[in-house]
């Protein structure tokens, strides 16, 4: 690929400057060359070289406003805002119509979290700049900092109208639509953009994402298809298309797309896992297992992969292998609540209640406070006859789920089992008040309590 004239000039300037540093000779550069050299080093994070270039530049061009503005930019970057402000005020007195003065002023305001002032300064810059797109984008970013997504969106749209190749602006527009839950509006906007720029693979990709969010999987696949036709190496579009095909239960086609992503780049654990899932849906059990095992080899810490293998063996009713793999997963990450939950479910299915109780307890200790975890855990304790412990856990659960009928009915039953009918009836009333329809839970889990006349009398009060 041939370099543009500007790129060639810039490379020559950089080579000449670095040669000067090595030989200690002093070469002359015009002020714009120095600006490009300094900004290049700043962009690549080589601040020492940027500072050397600035020092030499100011020695050769002490009155250059451009170099002074680059100095302001460097000071802002280093959070030396007071010095930057003082220098900027001096420059304003010399060149009040210089757009870069207002842009750097905006940067200082932004660093001080004075985003409204930054926007005011950038709006003044609009009157002097030839690069409207860049300033519109900066205004959009300031509105983003203020969480004003609607205004941010409008300015990013203006930016894209000025420069329809600015894909960062397009991504920001879609981000605003997403954040505002405006998927339909996003689709309308993207379709209008595509009408003007039909070969924009990025726009087609974003359109596909919007259709996917609305669960319109056929349209999403259609949009992703266009993105891959325009750019046959668009890995992200193939990946999204594969996900859409999975939703449409077109598993063979999904596998083909995932395979393309692995041809374009190194295999990802996500693609390997999804291929395994697709093969399992197609009944290709051996292939499914092969890809699950490749997934954990690729990424041993990916919990979804270990769970996929464990669930695979659970579905085959091969509980010994399921336990083997879930224990292997726990050995890698013993603080993963999902692993412990699977551990518990397997032992529960085998009616090994002590091991199952341990699994649910470990899941809770690892941070799992989902309702079903509390319910299943206390079910195991009930099977083991540890009613008091089960009550204690459910009372803790009420702090997280204060109005949950499943907890109230279970507390009612457990209190009756511990010969405390007064507390049991209190929680029974709570459960009936919250959800009368499911009161037959008591009959299923606590048949002795269900048969009590006092309990039936309480239930009758809540019948319509």
């Amino acid at each position: 690929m041939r370099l543009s004239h500007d790129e060639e000039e810039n490379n020559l300037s950089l080579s000449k400057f670095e040669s000067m540093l090595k030989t200690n000779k002093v070469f002359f550069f015009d002020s714009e060359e120095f600006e490009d050299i300094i900004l290049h080093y700043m962009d690549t994070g080589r601040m020492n070289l940027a500072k050397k270039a600035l020092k030499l530049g100011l020695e050769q061009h002490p009155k250059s406003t451009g170099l002074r503005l680059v100095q302001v930019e460097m000071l802002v970057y280093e959070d030396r805002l007071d010095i930057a402000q003082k220098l900027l005020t001096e420059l304003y007195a010399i060149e009040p119509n210089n757009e870069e003065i207002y842009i750097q002023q905006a940067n200082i305001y932004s660093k001080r979290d004075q985003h409204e002032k930054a926007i005011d300064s950038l709006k003044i810059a609009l009157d002097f700049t030839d690069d409207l797109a860049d300033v519109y984008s900066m205004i959009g970013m300031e509105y983003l900092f203020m969480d004003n997504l609607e205004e941010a969106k409008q300015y990013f749209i203006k930016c894209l109208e000025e420069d329809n190749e600015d894909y960062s602006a397009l991504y920001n527009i879609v981000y605003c639509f997403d954040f505002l839950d405006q998927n339909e509006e996003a689709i309308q906007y993207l379709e209008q953009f595509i009408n003007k720029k039909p070969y924009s693979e990025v726009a087609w990709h974003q359109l596909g994402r919007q259709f996917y969010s609305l669960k319109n999987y056929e349209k999403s696949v259609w949009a992703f298809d266009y993105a891959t036709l325009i750019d046959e190496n668009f890995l992200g579009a193939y990946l999204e298309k594969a996900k859409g095909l999975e939703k449409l239960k077109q598993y063979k086609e999904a596998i083909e797309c995932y395979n393309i992503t692995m041809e374009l780049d190194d295999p990802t654990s996500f693609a390997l896992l999804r291929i395994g899932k697709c093969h399992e849906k197609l009944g290709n059990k051996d292939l499914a297992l092969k890809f699950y095992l490749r997934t954990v080899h690729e990424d041993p810490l990916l919990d979804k992969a270990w769970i996929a293998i464990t669930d695979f063996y659970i579905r085959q009713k091969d509980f010994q292998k399921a336990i083997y793999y879930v224990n292997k997963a726990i050995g890698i990450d013993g603080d993963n609540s999902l692993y412990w939950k699977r551990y518990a479910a397997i032992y529960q299915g085998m009616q090994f209640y002590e091991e199952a109780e341990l699994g649910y307890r470990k899941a809770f200790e690892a941070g799992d406070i989902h309702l079903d975890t509390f319910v299943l855990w206390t079910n195991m304790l009930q099977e083991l006859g540890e009613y008091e412990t089960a009550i204690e856990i459910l009372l803790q659960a009420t702090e997280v789920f204060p109005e949950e009928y499943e907890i109230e009915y279970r507390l009612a039953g457990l209190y009756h089992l511990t010969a405390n009918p007064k507390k049991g009836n209190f929680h029974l009333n709570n459960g009936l008040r919250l959800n009368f329809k499911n009161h037959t839970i008591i009959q299923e889990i606590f048949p002795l309590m269900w048969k009590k006349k006092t309990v039936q009398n309480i239930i009758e009060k809540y019948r319509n």
Side-chain angles (χ1 to χ4, degrees), residues 123-260:
K123 285 180 177 177
I124 296 171
L126 287 171
D127 295 331
F128 304 111
T129 187
D130 293 325
D131 190 358
L132 290 169
D134 204 31
V135 179
Y136 282 140
S137 179
M138 286 187 276
I139 294 172
M141 290 306 299
E142 293 302 319
Y143 277 118
L144 276 186
F145 294 142
M146 294 165 65
D147 292 328
N148 188 337
L149 278 294
E150 196 61 59
E151 282 295 324
K153 181 178 68 179
Q154 297 308 318
Y155 276 93
F156 288 128
I157 288 171
K158 287 182 180 183
C159 170
L160 203 58
E161 286 170 354
E162 291 292 327
D163 178 7
N164 63 14
E165 296 289 336
D166 189 339
Y167 287 124
S168 65
L170 182 59
Y171 283 122
N172 282 327
I173 291 163
V174 175
Y175 169 80
C176 292
F177 277 124
D178 284 342
F179 195 89
L180 295 165
D181 291 325
Q182 296 175 345
N183 300 105
E184 296 284 0
E185 292 89 339
I187 288 169
Q188 187 178 357
Y189 176 80
L190 288 165
E191 287 176 339
Q192 289 171 355
F193 182 80
I194 287 167
N195 284 337
K196 297 174 188 173
K197 197 171 168 55
Y199 295 103
S200 169
E201 72 277 15
V202 174
W204 280 108
H205 176 250
Q206 293 301 309
L207 182 63
R209 286 186 60 252
Q210 296 303 314
F211 281 127
Y212 190 93
S213 294
L214 293 174
K215 299 184 179 179
N216 189 339
Y217 302 120
E218 287 185 1
K219 277 284 190 80
S220 77
V221 168
W222 166 76
F224 293 133
D225 209 27
Y226 269 102
T228 58
L229 285 169
I230 297 163
D231 180 0
E232 60 183 17
N233 295 317
F234 197 161
L235 189 147
Y238 284 112
L239 203 61
E240 300 278 6
K241 181 181 171 184
K243 286 164 60 180
L245 288 165
E246 270 197 82
K247 293 291 186 181
L248 293 169
K249 300 184 179 180
Q250 296 177 24
Y251 301 116
K252 287 182 181 178
E253 294 84 352
I255 289 170
E256 287 174 14
C257 276
Y258 286 126
N259 280 330
I260 291 170

Side-chain angles (χ1 to χ4, degrees), residues 7 42 72 100 123 179 192 227 239 284 323 376 452 460:
E7 287 173 321
M42 286 179 68
V72 170
E100 193 63 29
K123 285 180 177 177
F179 195 89
Q192 289 171 355
L239 203 61
N284 304 329
I323 283 294
L376 292 166
K452 289 184 180 180
E460 283 302 314

Side-chain angles (χ1 to χ4, degrees), residues 7-8 97 343 387 410 432 454:
E7 287 173 321
E8 286 180 355
N97 294 341
Y343 175 98
Y387 306 138
R410 280 172 172 77
L432 292 165
T454 52

Side-chain angles (χ1 to χ4, degrees), residues 254-273:
I255 289 170
E256 287 174 14
C257 276
Y258 286 126
N259 280 330
I260 291 170
T261 69
M262 295 195 293
E263 290 168 11
L264 292 173
D265 200 357
D266 293 334
T268 64
S269 55
F270 176 82
L272 292 167
L273 177 61

Side-chain angles (χ1 to χ4, degrees), residues 285-347:
K285 294 176 184 175
D286 290 343
L287 278 171
L289 184 58
K290 175 186 170 185
F291 277 95
Y292 292 151
L293 292 171
R294 278 187 67 187
T295 307
V296 294
H297 178 76
E298 184 73 27
D299 185 358
L301 295 180
L302 184 65
D303 52 16
K304 290 179 181 177
W306 289 108
I307 288 166
I309 297 173
T310 305
D311 288 348
F312 174 85
Y313 281 118
I314 290 172
R315 283 189 284 273
Q316 308 306 312
K317 299 195 185 303
D318 191 339
F319 296 115
Q320 291 305 317
K321 282 190 177 176
I323 283 294
Y324 169 79
Y325 278 102
V326 82
N327 275 324
K328 199 163 182 178
I330 288 167
I332 293 167
D333 182 6
D335 294 324
N336 190 314
S337 64
L338 293 172
Y339 296 161
W340 283 111
K341 210 163 179 176
R342 284 300 190 285
Y343 175 98
I346 296 163
Y347 278 117

